[in-house]
Short mmCIF file of all heavy atoms in Angstrom, two decimals:
data_model
loop_
_atom_site.label_atom_id
_atom_site.label_comp_id
_atom_site.label_asym_id
_atom_site.label_seq_id
_atom_site.Cartn_x
_atom_site.Cartn_y
_atom_site.Cartn_z
N LEU A 143 -61.41 87.35 172.13
CA LEU A 143 -61.63 87.38 173.56
C LEU A 143 -63.06 87.83 173.82
O LEU A 143 -63.50 88.87 173.32
CB LEU A 143 -60.66 88.35 174.24
CG LEU A 143 -59.22 87.88 174.43
CD1 LEU A 143 -58.37 89.02 174.96
CD2 LEU A 143 -59.17 86.69 175.38
N GLN A 144 -63.79 87.04 174.61
CA GLN A 144 -65.16 87.40 174.95
C GLN A 144 -65.17 88.29 176.19
O GLN A 144 -64.18 88.39 176.92
CB GLN A 144 -65.97 86.12 175.19
CG GLN A 144 -66.04 85.22 173.97
CD GLN A 144 -66.82 83.94 174.23
OE1 GLN A 144 -67.64 83.87 175.14
NE2 GLN A 144 -66.58 82.92 173.40
N ASP A 145 -66.33 88.92 176.45
CA ASP A 145 -66.45 89.85 177.59
C ASP A 145 -66.13 89.17 178.92
O ASP A 145 -65.46 89.73 179.77
CB ASP A 145 -67.86 90.45 177.64
CG ASP A 145 -68.10 91.43 176.51
OD1 ASP A 145 -67.11 92.02 176.03
OD2 ASP A 145 -69.26 91.60 176.10
N ASP A 146 -66.62 87.95 179.08
CA ASP A 146 -66.40 87.21 180.33
C ASP A 146 -65.41 86.07 180.14
O ASP A 146 -65.53 85.02 180.77
CB ASP A 146 -67.73 86.68 180.86
CG ASP A 146 -68.42 85.76 179.84
OD1 ASP A 146 -68.02 85.77 178.66
OD2 ASP A 146 -69.37 85.04 180.24
N HIS A 147 -64.44 86.30 179.27
CA HIS A 147 -63.49 85.24 178.92
C HIS A 147 -62.73 84.75 180.16
O HIS A 147 -62.31 85.54 180.99
CB HIS A 147 -62.49 85.75 177.89
CG HIS A 147 -61.93 84.66 177.02
ND1 HIS A 147 -62.34 84.47 175.72
CD2 HIS A 147 -61.00 83.72 177.27
CE1 HIS A 147 -61.68 83.45 175.21
NE2 HIS A 147 -60.86 82.97 176.13
N SER A 148 -62.58 83.44 180.26
CA SER A 148 -61.82 82.83 181.36
C SER A 148 -60.57 82.17 180.81
O SER A 148 -60.56 81.64 179.69
CB SER A 148 -62.67 81.79 182.09
OG SER A 148 -63.80 82.39 182.69
N LEU A 149 -59.51 82.18 181.58
CA LEU A 149 -58.27 81.51 181.20
C LEU A 149 -58.36 80.05 181.67
O LEU A 149 -58.38 79.78 182.87
CB LEU A 149 -57.07 82.20 181.84
CG LEU A 149 -55.70 81.64 181.46
CD1 LEU A 149 -55.43 81.86 179.97
CD2 LEU A 149 -54.61 82.29 182.29
N ILE A 150 -58.43 79.14 180.72
CA ILE A 150 -58.55 77.72 181.04
C ILE A 150 -57.14 77.12 181.15
O ILE A 150 -56.35 77.20 180.21
CB ILE A 150 -59.35 76.97 179.96
CG1 ILE A 150 -60.73 77.64 179.76
CG2 ILE A 150 -59.50 75.50 180.33
CD1 ILE A 150 -61.59 77.65 180.98
N THR A 151 -56.85 76.52 182.29
CA THR A 151 -55.51 75.98 182.52
C THR A 151 -55.56 74.51 182.94
O THR A 151 -54.56 73.97 183.41
CB THR A 151 -54.79 76.78 183.62
OG1 THR A 151 -55.53 76.68 184.84
CG2 THR A 151 -54.68 78.25 183.22
N THR A 152 -56.71 73.88 182.77
CA THR A 152 -56.87 72.48 183.17
C THR A 152 -56.95 71.57 181.94
O THR A 152 -56.96 72.05 180.80
CB THR A 152 -58.14 72.31 184.02
OG1 THR A 152 -59.28 72.76 183.26
CG2 THR A 152 -58.05 73.11 185.30
N GLY A 153 -57.03 70.27 182.18
CA GLY A 153 -57.12 69.31 181.07
C GLY A 153 -55.89 69.37 180.19
O GLY A 153 -54.76 69.46 180.69
N PRO A 154 -56.07 69.36 178.87
CA PRO A 154 -54.90 69.41 177.98
C PRO A 154 -54.11 70.70 178.12
O PRO A 154 -52.92 70.75 177.78
CB PRO A 154 -55.51 69.28 176.57
CG PRO A 154 -56.94 69.67 176.74
CD PRO A 154 -57.33 69.25 178.12
N TYR A 155 -54.74 71.75 178.66
CA TYR A 155 -54.05 73.04 178.83
C TYR A 155 -53.14 73.06 180.06
O TYR A 155 -52.48 74.06 180.31
CB TYR A 155 -55.08 74.16 178.91
CG TYR A 155 -55.77 74.38 177.58
CD1 TYR A 155 -56.91 73.66 177.26
CD2 TYR A 155 -55.26 75.26 176.64
CE1 TYR A 155 -57.53 73.82 176.03
CE2 TYR A 155 -55.86 75.43 175.41
CZ TYR A 155 -57.01 74.71 175.11
OH TYR A 155 -57.61 74.86 173.88
N SER A 156 -53.11 71.95 180.78
CA SER A 156 -52.14 71.82 181.88
C SER A 156 -50.87 71.13 181.42
O SER A 156 -49.91 71.02 182.18
CB SER A 156 -52.78 71.03 183.03
OG SER A 156 -53.04 69.69 182.63
N VAL A 157 -50.86 70.67 180.17
CA VAL A 157 -49.69 69.98 179.61
C VAL A 157 -48.87 70.94 178.75
O VAL A 157 -47.66 71.08 178.93
CB VAL A 157 -50.12 68.76 178.79
CG1 VAL A 157 -48.89 68.03 178.23
CG2 VAL A 157 -50.97 67.80 179.63
N VAL A 158 -49.52 71.58 177.80
CA VAL A 158 -48.91 72.65 176.99
C VAL A 158 -49.94 73.77 176.88
O VAL A 158 -51.13 73.56 177.09
CB VAL A 158 -48.50 72.17 175.58
CG1 VAL A 158 -47.36 71.17 175.66
CG2 VAL A 158 -49.70 71.57 174.84
N ARG A 159 -49.46 74.96 176.52
CA ARG A 159 -50.36 76.12 176.52
C ARG A 159 -51.24 76.19 175.27
O ARG A 159 -52.27 76.87 175.27
CB ARG A 159 -49.55 77.41 176.67
CG ARG A 159 -48.81 77.51 177.99
CD ARG A 159 -48.50 78.95 178.35
NE ARG A 159 -47.66 79.62 177.38
CZ ARG A 159 -46.33 79.62 177.40
NH1 ARG A 159 -45.69 78.93 178.33
NH2 ARG A 159 -45.64 80.29 176.51
N HIS A 160 -50.84 75.49 174.21
CA HIS A 160 -51.62 75.53 172.97
C HIS A 160 -51.86 74.11 172.45
O HIS A 160 -51.44 73.76 171.33
CB HIS A 160 -50.89 76.37 171.92
CG HIS A 160 -50.61 77.77 172.37
ND1 HIS A 160 -51.52 78.80 172.22
CD2 HIS A 160 -49.54 78.30 173.01
CE1 HIS A 160 -51.01 79.91 172.72
NE2 HIS A 160 -49.81 79.64 173.21
N PRO A 161 -52.53 73.27 173.22
CA PRO A 161 -52.70 71.86 172.83
C PRO A 161 -53.56 71.66 171.59
O PRO A 161 -53.40 70.66 170.90
CB PRO A 161 -53.37 71.25 174.07
CG PRO A 161 -54.07 72.39 174.73
CD PRO A 161 -53.17 73.57 174.51
N SER A 162 -54.46 72.59 171.30
CA SER A 162 -55.29 72.42 170.10
C SER A 162 -54.41 72.49 168.85
O SER A 162 -54.67 71.80 167.85
CB SER A 162 -56.39 73.48 170.03
OG SER A 162 -55.85 74.77 169.84
N TYR A 163 -53.36 73.30 168.89
CA TYR A 163 -52.43 73.37 167.76
C TYR A 163 -51.55 72.13 167.71
O TYR A 163 -51.18 71.65 166.64
CB TYR A 163 -51.57 74.63 167.86
CG TYR A 163 -52.36 75.92 167.77
CD1 TYR A 163 -51.81 77.12 168.18
CD2 TYR A 163 -53.67 75.93 167.31
CE1 TYR A 163 -52.53 78.31 168.11
CE2 TYR A 163 -54.40 77.11 167.25
CZ TYR A 163 -53.83 78.29 167.65
OH TYR A 163 -54.55 79.46 167.58
N THR A 164 -51.21 71.61 168.88
CA THR A 164 -50.48 70.34 168.93
C THR A 164 -51.31 69.25 168.27
O THR A 164 -50.79 68.46 167.47
CB THR A 164 -50.19 69.94 170.39
OG1 THR A 164 -49.48 71.00 171.03
CG2 THR A 164 -49.37 68.67 170.45
N GLY A 165 -52.60 69.21 168.61
CA GLY A 165 -53.49 68.23 168.03
C GLY A 165 -53.60 68.36 166.53
O GLY A 165 -53.58 67.36 165.80
N PHE A 166 -53.72 69.59 166.04
CA PHE A 166 -53.85 69.79 164.60
C PHE A 166 -52.57 69.41 163.88
O PHE A 166 -52.60 68.86 162.77
CB PHE A 166 -54.21 71.24 164.29
CG PHE A 166 -54.90 71.42 162.97
CD1 PHE A 166 -56.28 71.43 162.90
CD2 PHE A 166 -54.18 71.56 161.80
CE1 PHE A 166 -56.94 71.57 161.68
CE2 PHE A 166 -54.81 71.70 160.58
CZ PHE A 166 -56.20 71.71 160.51
N LEU A 167 -51.42 69.67 164.50
CA LEU A 167 -50.14 69.29 163.92
C LEU A 167 -50.05 67.78 163.78
O LEU A 167 -49.67 67.25 162.72
CB LEU A 167 -49.01 69.82 164.79
CG LEU A 167 -47.58 69.54 164.32
CD1 LEU A 167 -47.30 70.23 163.00
CD2 LEU A 167 -46.57 69.99 165.38
N LEU A 168 -50.39 67.05 164.84
CA LEU A 168 -50.38 65.59 164.80
C LEU A 168 -51.38 65.07 163.77
O LEU A 168 -51.10 64.13 163.02
CB LEU A 168 -50.71 65.02 166.18
CG LEU A 168 -49.64 65.17 167.26
CD1 LEU A 168 -50.21 64.76 168.62
CD2 LEU A 168 -48.41 64.33 166.92
N LEU A 169 -52.54 65.67 163.76
CA LEU A 169 -53.60 65.26 162.85
C LEU A 169 -53.15 65.42 161.39
O LEU A 169 -53.35 64.52 160.55
CB LEU A 169 -54.85 66.10 163.13
CG LEU A 169 -56.16 65.81 162.44
CD1 LEU A 169 -57.32 66.31 163.32
CD2 LEU A 169 -56.24 66.50 161.09
N SER A 170 -52.53 66.53 161.08
CA SER A 170 -52.09 66.81 159.71
C SER A 170 -50.98 65.86 159.26
O SER A 170 -51.06 65.24 158.20
CB SER A 170 -51.60 68.26 159.61
OG SER A 170 -52.63 69.15 159.95
N ILE A 171 -49.95 65.75 160.09
CA ILE A 171 -48.82 64.88 159.72
C ILE A 171 -49.27 63.42 159.67
O ILE A 171 -48.90 62.67 158.75
CB ILE A 171 -47.67 65.05 160.72
CG1 ILE A 171 -47.12 66.48 160.66
CG2 ILE A 171 -46.55 64.05 160.45
CD1 ILE A 171 -46.06 66.78 161.70
N GLY A 172 -50.08 63.00 160.64
CA GLY A 172 -50.53 61.62 160.69
C GLY A 172 -51.35 61.23 159.48
O GLY A 172 -51.18 60.13 158.91
N ASN A 173 -52.26 62.09 159.07
CA ASN A 173 -53.08 61.78 157.89
C ASN A 173 -52.24 61.73 156.63
O ASN A 173 -52.45 60.87 155.77
CB ASN A 173 -54.20 62.82 157.74
CG ASN A 173 -55.44 62.47 158.55
OD1 ASN A 173 -56.11 61.48 158.27
ND2 ASN A 173 -55.74 63.27 159.55
N ALA A 174 -51.28 62.63 156.50
CA ALA A 174 -50.42 62.63 155.32
C ALA A 174 -49.61 61.33 155.24
O ALA A 174 -49.50 60.71 154.18
CB ALA A 174 -49.49 63.84 155.35
N ILE A 175 -49.06 60.91 156.37
CA ILE A 175 -48.25 59.69 156.40
C ILE A 175 -49.08 58.45 156.09
O ILE A 175 -48.70 57.61 155.27
CB ILE A 175 -47.57 59.53 157.77
CG1 ILE A 175 -46.49 60.60 157.96
CG2 ILE A 175 -46.97 58.13 157.93
CD1 ILE A 175 -45.87 60.59 159.35
N SER A 176 -50.24 58.34 156.74
CA SER A 176 -51.04 57.12 156.63
C SER A 176 -51.81 57.02 155.33
O SER A 176 -52.04 55.92 154.81
CB SER A 176 -52.01 57.00 157.81
OG SER A 176 -52.87 58.12 157.85
N LEU A 177 -52.23 58.15 154.77
CA LEU A 177 -53.07 58.12 153.57
C LEU A 177 -52.30 58.25 152.27
O LEU A 177 -52.86 58.02 151.20
CB LEU A 177 -54.12 59.24 153.65
CG LEU A 177 -55.10 59.16 154.82
CD1 LEU A 177 -56.07 60.33 154.79
CD2 LEU A 177 -55.87 57.84 154.80
N LEU A 178 -51.02 58.60 152.35
CA LEU A 178 -50.22 58.76 151.13
C LEU A 178 -49.08 57.75 151.05
O LEU A 178 -48.43 57.65 150.00
CB LEU A 178 -49.64 60.18 151.06
CG LEU A 178 -50.64 61.34 151.07
CD1 LEU A 178 -49.90 62.68 150.97
CD2 LEU A 178 -51.64 61.22 149.93
N GLY A 179 -48.84 57.01 152.12
CA GLY A 179 -47.70 56.10 152.16
C GLY A 179 -47.93 54.79 151.43
O GLY A 179 -49.03 54.50 150.95
N PRO A 180 -46.89 53.97 151.34
CA PRO A 180 -47.00 52.65 150.69
C PRO A 180 -48.09 51.81 151.34
O PRO A 180 -48.27 51.81 152.55
CB PRO A 180 -45.61 52.03 150.94
CG PRO A 180 -44.71 53.20 151.13
CD PRO A 180 -45.53 54.24 151.84
#
Side-chain angles (χ1 to χ4, degrees):
L143 284 173
Q144 300 179 21
D145 289 333
D146 58 345
H147 207 104
S148 297
L149 183 65
I150 305 299
T151 61
T152 58
Y155 291 88
S156 65
V157 181
V158 293
R159 296 203 300 272
H160 302 273
S162 67
Y163 297 163
T164 304
F166 204 94
L167 181 64
L168 289 171
L169 187 154
S170 300
I171 296 175
N173 274 294
I175 291 175
S176 59
L177 298 179
L178 302 180

